[in-house]
Amino acid sequence: MHSDTGDLYRAFAEREARGNSAIYQDLAEHVAGDDRLRTLLDGLPAAKRQPNLLFGAVRHLGGPVTEGWPAFRDWVAAHWAEASATMLERRTQTNEAGRCATLLPLLAALPQPLALIEVGASAGLCLYPDRYRYRYRHLSADGTGAPATEFGAVTSPVTLDCAVSGPVPLPASLRERLPEVVWRAGIDLNPLDVRAEEDVRWLESLVWPEQTHRLDRLRGAVRVARAEPPLLVRGDLNAAVRELVAQVPAGATPVVFHSAVLAYLPPEAREEFAVTVRELPGHWISNEAVSVLPAVARRLPRPAPAGSGLFALALDERPVAFTGPHGQSLDWFGEA
Ligand SMILES: C[S@@+](CC[C@H](N)C(=O)[O-])C[C@H]1O[C@@H](n2cnc3c(N)ncnc32)[C@H](O)[C@@H]1O
């Protein structure tokens, strides 16, 4: 007999960690079968038992995640007071600048200049699409590659790699001139501050151990954001989005956008958000797991491959592409 917590860790090992992190897959499988750790986790509210939160907390506190199950189990059991306090205090707020590579073609196609409003912004690293470099590798139908298209902010410490398929609109004008962003702001329940070492360490702790390229990207994006820290408002997206859009400077196109956020909201709150954003001026870009927004899911031209974990990218609820959840791929539908 296994608790729900056991099922949670087993599902994480199978569906999320397998193929992405052998270390987390192994740890999660062991947690699922370990009475002691499951009992400790069951003492937390259900939303605080997540594998990413446990593993992030252990790393944040300097505990061992790469030294095998016995070292991990013994450390967690001995340091449960600190580990559980960190899990209660912190949230899974992975901030992935790589997602800008999938947002960029849509942003570039809107009337310029832009005012960006990101809901669920974490530390705001996706608010700088004009400050990164991009390398799009084109995949043909037979899976072979063509030369990469590379462009972007010349001196950026960050290059975002993205494998593209389908008629993704990467026109010459985009290669010559990135979107012009004249205003950027975000909302988060718990905004992280790129200037605060503890917050940056927490973001680093959330990157999975084998994914060193993501750690490099995160550090580079933090440097970009530190040069001009974003305006981030603390609050619930439904409560704060109208007021933020009202602050957009005249002459700029407001763009409300979000990636990997609405899944955290109950369906009624997602619907409330959709009703609000439909009434706001400007445009709405959503980049979420395929089933999160029913109006987008209904219009998908084809189902996402089973178990792919792909997101649906949509402009004003019209789906345009499937995207890799960390921005690693962009599969454009239909006409460019
Ligand atoms: C997985 S992170 C994604 C961060 C960022 N969008 C990105 O793509 O890197 C989800 C973020 O949404 C925030 N969040 C979740 N529910 C929220 C709500 N109701 N209102 C505002 N922010 C929320 C969390 O605090 C967290 O920072």
Side-chain angles (χ1 to χ4, degrees), residues 93-96 99 118 120 122 188-189 235-237 259-260 265:
Q93 292 193 262
T94 302
N95 200 184
E96 183 45 82
R99 293 178 178 132
E118 185 181 18
S122 184
D188 204 285
L189 285 175
D236 181 87
L237 50 86
S259 300
L265 275 65

Side-chain angles (χ1 to χ4, degrees), residues 154-271:
V154 180
T155 57
S156 182
V158 178
T159 298
L160 304 177
D161 277 294
C162 183
V164 298
S165 46
V168 58
L170 292 175
S173 58
L174 169 55
R175 283 174 240 153
E176 283 150 22
R177 197 169 60 87
L178 289 168
E180 186 188 353
V181 180
V182 291
W183 197 78
R184 51 193 113 220
I187 304 166
D188 204 285
L189 285 175
N190 181 47
L192 295 177
D193 185 345
V194 287
R195 293 159 295 191
E197 281 309 323
E198 272 302 281
D199 282 359
V200 172
R201 275 205 331 104
W202 175 242
L203 286 173
E204 291 183 2
S205 303
L206 291 170
V207 176
W208 293 9
E210 295 93 335
Q211 298 181 341
T212 51
H213 65 290
R214 292 187 59 213
L215 191 59
D216 293 344
R217 188 156 73 199
L218 171 64
R219 289 178 173 154
V222 165
R223 278 169 57 200
V224 167
R226 274 182 174 165
E228 186 197 337
L231 166 63
L232 294 181
V233 173
R234 181 180 296 274
D236 181 87
L237 50 86
N238 273 321
V241 70
R242 263 182 210 284
E243 202 179 315
L244 211 51
V245 172
Q247 293 175 35
V248 164
T253 302
V255 185
V256 173
F257 74 100
H258 48 89
S259 300
V261 172
L262 294 192
Y264 292 90
L265 275 65
E268 317 79 69
R270 292 178 207 164
E271 182 52 27

Side-chain angles (χ1 to χ4, degrees), residues 8-22 24-25 51-52 208 211 307 326:
L8 182 70
Y9 278 72
R10 207 168 297 105
F12 173 86
E14 271 307 303
R15 293 188 207 139
E16 296 186 50
R18 180 183 290 281
N20 292 313
S21 171
Y24 279 3
Q25 184 184 346
N52 275 321
W208 293 9
Q211 298 181 341
H326 294 140

Side-chain angles (χ1 to χ4, degrees), residues 102 163-168 302 305 310 320-324 329-333:
T102 56
V164 298
S165 46
V168 58
R302 52 185 149 94
L310 291 174
V320 297
F322 287 132
T323 65
S329 65
L330 180 58
D331 179 8
W332 206 265
F333 305 138

Side-chain angles (χ1 to χ4, degrees), residues 2-3 6 10 27-41 69 73 77:
H2 294 289
S3 68
R10 207 168 297 105
L27 293 181
E29 281 166 357
H30 276 101
V31 173
D34 187 273
D35 285 342
R36 174 116 194 255
L37 255 57
R38 285 207 320 267
T39 304
L40 290 174
L41 287 162
W69 165 246
R73 175 199 57 207

